[in-house]
Amino acid sequence: MPAPSSLTRPNRDPAAPQYRGRLAPSPTGLLHLGHAQTFWTAQQRAQQAGGRLVLRNEDLDPDRCRPEFVTAMLEDLHWFGFRWEEGPDCGGPFGPYSQSERRPHYVSAFEALLAAGAIYPCVCSRRDVQRAAQAPHVGDEEPVYPGACRPGADGRFRVGGPERFVPKITSARQSSTARPRVNWRFRVPDCEPISFDDSSQGLQSFVAGRDFGDFVVWRHDDVPSYQLAVTVDDALMHITEVIRGVDLLVSTSRQLLPYRALGWTPPDFHHCPLLTDEAGSRLAKRHDALSLRALRQRGATPAMIRSRPEFAG
């Protein structure tokens, strides 16, 4: 296991602007109009606040992220008119700015959560959770975890003590046959409303254990989860406001819990409406026809795209 890096936030340059926003694309496909709308809102709010904009390359998943999409991401963002002061291409005081290079920070957060008793090992597969009768779906959200591996009131683990499953967190991915397929889950405070004031959507409140359950922070394939990584990165990069889509409102409630467990103050949040296709489905990277690259190839200009009504807000 690598030596843990400090979880103390680096000292911010006192001369730096107070506001710090971020763009956080994942290079699993081409950027589309929905990304552009959300990112444009983030850039405008940073500019209006006289702050700094950070670009973070969320290349966490080695199976889905591809170098050619990183190259396309940078090209498309520059073409559209995005400008950032810190990022993987220009550096900055809180780098590295690619998640694939920030593993020691995630290891340290994992160890802190483990020491605090906030997480536990779970051998349930996603299929196991989906099949559980008491695991209802909440919209498009993942099923609420039914608690099959959750430690009991006596603190005993139902699948063995944590020492049996502490991952050998190394730079190399482990053989799936060498160790049990174990995810690590954050234990949520059942029945507690997790609330936050969103600058776009107003007061939001989701009940832990009902609207969302114990969630994965470290995956069985030795990769930190999205929920853990973005929490750690936003904290250590001193992000003061997170701009993202309304589809992540419940995720925000999840992430507030590791913030609390690690003793960090969360940023402010602004969740934007989603763009949808003609069928009313939210845009995704499978909508190649609405990717920035495809629109540019068809002759669209950034000014033409930004003149669309959805960019007016």
Side-chain angles (χ1 to χ4, degrees):
M1 183 179 295
S5 59
S6 172
L7 284 178
T8 303
R9 292 190 182 191
N11 291 326
R12 183 185 296 164
D13 181 354
Q18 185 70 19
Y19 183 100
R20 289 176 61 82
R22 47 85 150 172
L23 313 177
S26 179
T28 59
L30 296 174
L31 299 179
H32 57 64
L33 272 178
H35 295 115
Q37 180 204 32
T38 300
F39 293 168
W40 195 250
T41 299
Q43 177 163 289
Q44 286 184 314
R45 290 180 70 84
Q47 291 174 344
Q48 291 166 1
R52 293 175 71 86
L53 191 63
V54 176
L55 174 65
R56 185 168 70 229
N57 173 27
E58 297 202 337
D59 60 344
L60 192 64
D61 192 331
D63 293 330
R64 299 177 60 225
C65 297
R66 291 159 50 182
E68 57 266 36
F69 288 139
V70 176
T71 301
M73 172 186 77
L74 293 171
E75 291 176 353
D76 292 346
L77 289 173
H78 280 299
W79 171 78
F80 195 81
F82 290 104
R83 300 294 181 264
W84 49 90
E85 288 73 39
E86 302 171 31
D89 57 336
C90 57
F94 303 115
Y97 292 90
S98 291
Q99 288 187 329
S100 59
E101 301 173 17
R102 298 181 59 80
R103 185 180 178 87
H105 296 302
Y106 310 141
V107 172
S108 294
F110 173 89
E111 292 178 337
L113 293 173
L114 180 61
I119 59 177
Y120 63 90
C122 173
V123 297
C124 298
S125 68
R126 185 173 181 84
R127 182 173 297 177
D128 293 334
V129 176
Q130 291 172 335
R131 285 177 174 173
Q134 64 270 44
H137 289 263
V138 182
D140 292 331
E141 285 290 324
E142 65 185 59
V144 174
Y145 179 64
C149 296
R150 194 187 228 206
D154 58 3
R156 293 184 179 179
F157 288 84
R158 302 184 186 183
V159 295
E163 66 281 351
R164 179 182 171 195
F165 297 110
V166 172
K168 283 179 62 180
I169 302 176
T170 64
S171 58
R173 303 183 70 190
Q174 302 169 47
S175 168
S176 60
T177 61
R179 299 173 65 85
R181 291 172 62 89
V182 175
N183 294 308
W184 282 81
R185 292 184 179 272
F186 189 100
R187 181 171 184 163
V188 305
D190 284 339
C191 301
E192 179 182 337
I194 307 300
S195 303
F196 60 96
D197 190 15
D198 186 87
S199 60
S200 173
Q201 305 299 317
L203 180 63
Q204 302 293 309
S205 186
F206 299 91
V207 177
R210 186 194 72 187
D211 297 322
F212 64 94
D214 296 352
F215 55 90
V216 173
V217 296
W218 203 280
R219 295 173 8 186
H220 65 78
D221 56 354
D222 199 26
V223 176
S225 75
Y226 164 80
Q227 307 292 355
L228 178 66
V230 298
T231 299
V232 172
D233 289 343
D234 286 338
L236 297 187
M237 291 181 180
H238 293 284
I239 301 303
T240 60
E241 184 178 53
V242 170
I243 314 294
R244 53 191 177 196
V246 293
D247 56 322
L248 293 174
L249 282 168
V250 176
S251 281
T252 296
S253 285
R254 291 190 186 98
Q255 292 159 24
L256 289 173
L257 295 175
Y259 270 108
R260 186 167 71 183
L262 293 168
W264 291 336
T265 301
D268 295 329
F269 296 97
H270 181 102
H271 289 77
C272 304
L274 299 179
L275 290 188
T276 58
D277 61 17
E278 294 179 354
S281 300
R282 70 178 185 180
L283 294 188
K285 289 177 180 176
R286 64 181 179 273
H287 291 84
D288 290 338
L290 293 177
S291 71
L292 295 185
R293 183 142 300 203
L295 291 171
R296 178 171 54 169
Q297 291 171 347
R298 295 203 299 268
T301 67
M304 290 169 56
I305 298 173
R306 293 196 297 266
S307 67
R308 295 167 62 106
E310 54 266 27
F311 284 82

